[in-house]
Amino acid sequence: MKYSSTLLSALILASQSYTALGTFTIAAADSSTGQVGASGSSCVSGSLYTVAYHSIPNHGLCMTQGSPPANPDWDPDVTEPSPVYGVIDAMLANDTDPSIIIDSITNPKLDDERFMFAFKSVNYRQYGCVDLKGRAAGYTGKDLAKLYAIMTFGKENVQEDVQGTIGDIVYSAQGNIVSKTTVTTLQSTFVSDGACDLVERLYNSLAAVFESQELIGDIRCFDDNNAAGSSVFIHVDNADGSEVISIQNRDPNTSVNPWEEFKGEYEAWREDNPCPAAQDVNTAVSR
Ligand SMILES: *[C@@H]1O[C@H](CO)[C@@H](O)[C@H](O)[C@H]1NC(C)=O
Ligand SMILES: *[C@@H]1O[C@H](CO)[C@@H](O)[C@H](O)[C@H]1NC(C)=O
């Protein structure tokens, strides 16, 4: 009893002082076009894209979420980025298998960050990596569920990651502090028929969560803005590093539902960047 109440107060304190960034994202790499990208959302007021998205165009992409490693890019209290980010960049650049990238960055010898002196940060992280060689791997820290059970006072939420392929595209979908069907909704939408390109698959996955009849997504937003999340993004790069699409809300507010504005910006982008003709899509599918 004594131990668990100490643990409880430590975790509550930790959850306030430490970036606990629940998130759902789907990352993908399309070897037929050389494009890599992701979409996702989280109930936070900062930019999820800035925190979570780490890619080397023409190679691959890793999402860093849950409690991501320290990084001055988004945390003014730290001066040096965690060595995890350098390893991700170097290993994506030299085409290391994503499962080896994940093994390397979850090695406590590399990631020895702690919070409240006692808790191993690596157990609160979540990663999803994909590459243009058609490989994917994920990681969900084993103590995330315990932390969130305390933060949410026992409201049901899940932490999981799934990987797969559809044609020439490999993906990794992951969520933490999300409702039960969030990650499966991302995944099943991503692989379903009807999308003309990688951007549309990524957008449709996010839309399926935000437009679900039943409220799903990052459960922390359900009472705040009655939506799946507050910070939302989609980003895809070409093999040469040029941006295909990059849309995010730059000043998210957890009490504002971002979806209609985001959707409007996506639809405007799509008008300027139309799908290939239906004929081409059919040819691509039956290839
Ligand atoms: C890829 O980069 C990592 C990290 O710098 C390094 O440890 C590894 O040996 C490299 N692999 C190859 C095949 O160059
Ligand atoms: C967030 O939105 C709410 C409701 O619109 C508003 O009252 C509040 O001032 C906003 N907060 C920030 C930091 O903009």
Side-chain angles (χ1 to χ4, degrees):
M1 253 342 250
K2 181 110 197 300
Y3 173 73
S4 67
S5 69
T6 309
L7 178 71
L8 187 100
S9 17
L11 282 173
I12 287 174
L13 263 174
S15 71
Q16 288 163 352
S17 63
Y18 196 76
T19 314
L21 191 97
T23 289
F24 58 95
T25 59
I26 181 160
D30 182 348
S31 54
S32 71
T33 60
Q35 293 179 346
V36 298
S39 66
S41 183
S42 180
C43 192
V44 291
S45 52
S47 160
L48 170 61
Y49 170 74
T50 303
V51 172
Y53 192 96
H54 297 273
S55 95
I56 301 288
N58 204 24
H59 294 275
L61 166 65
C62 288
M63 306 307 300
T64 60
Q65 53 193 61
S67 252
N71 198 331
D73 283 356
W74 44 266
D75 184 352
D77 292 339
V78 300
T79 50
E80 288 285 313
S82 158
V84 162
Y85 297 106
V87 171
I88 289 175
D89 287 351
M91 289 192 162
L92 285 173
N94 74 13
D95 296 321
T96 300
D97 189 316
S99 64
I100 297 175
I101 300 180
I102 300 270
D103 284 351
S104 308
I105 62 180
T106 55
N107 183 334
K109 285 187 186 143
L110 177 77
D111 186 0
D112 62 359
E113 253 179 72
R114 301 282 172 120
F115 59 105
M116 303 302 295
F117 308 109
F119 301 102
K120 290 182 182 164
S121 296
V122 70
N123 295 340
Y124 300 87
R125 313 229 191 273
Q126 187 173 53
Y127 298 117
C129 298
V130 295
D131 77 4
L132 284 170
K133 296 196 181 296
R135 304 172 297 195
Y139 167 84
T140 297
K142 68 179 178 65
D143 292 335
L144 272 169
K146 262 186 268 175
L147 175 63
Y148 291 147
I150 292 164
M151 281 172 63
T152 64
F153 302 101
K155 276 189 206 154
E156 181 175 72
N157 66 94
V158 300
Q159 346 297 327
E160 61 182 335
D161 61 84
V162 294
Q163 290 74 40
T165 57
I166 173 77
D168 294 323
I169 303 177
V170 63
Y171 64 87
S172 179
Q174 43 277 318
N176 63 92
I177 203 164
V178 293
S179 60
K180 232 170 29 190
T181 58
T182 303
V183 173
T184 47
T185 300
L186 286 174
Q187 177 186 32
S188 62
T189 310
F190 188 81
V191 301
S192 63
D193 292 343
C196 67
D197 56 16
L198 180 64
V199 171
E200 193 171 19
R201 285 189 191 276
L202 291 170
Y203 174 79
N204 286 350
S205 294
L206 195 53
V209 176
F210 268 92
E211 294 176 0
S212 163
Q213 287 292 317
E214 183 200 351
L215 189 53
I216 62 174
D218 183 335
I219 71 159
R220 294 171 302 172
C221 260
F222 293 1
D223 292 331
D224 287 5
N225 65 0
N226 204 37
S230 52
S231 184
V232 62
F233 81 93
I234 183 168
H235 186 103
V236 176
D237 288 323
N238 283 312
D240 66 5
S242 60
E243 272 176 12
V244 178
I245 187 172
S246 190
I247 302 173
Q248 65 167 325
N249 50 347
R250 282 174 195 284
D251 197 13
N253 176 335
T254 57
S255 58
V256 175
N257 182 341
W259 186 248
E260 286 311 312
E261 192 176 341
F262 182 84
K263 181 179 181 175
E265 286 183 43
Y266 172 78
E267 285 171 351
W269 177 90
R270 185 50 91 180
E271 261 181 45
D272 295 339
N273 300 270
C275 275
Q279 187 62 39
D280 297 343
V281 174
N282 289 335
T283 319
V285 166
S286 61
R287 182 159 49 95

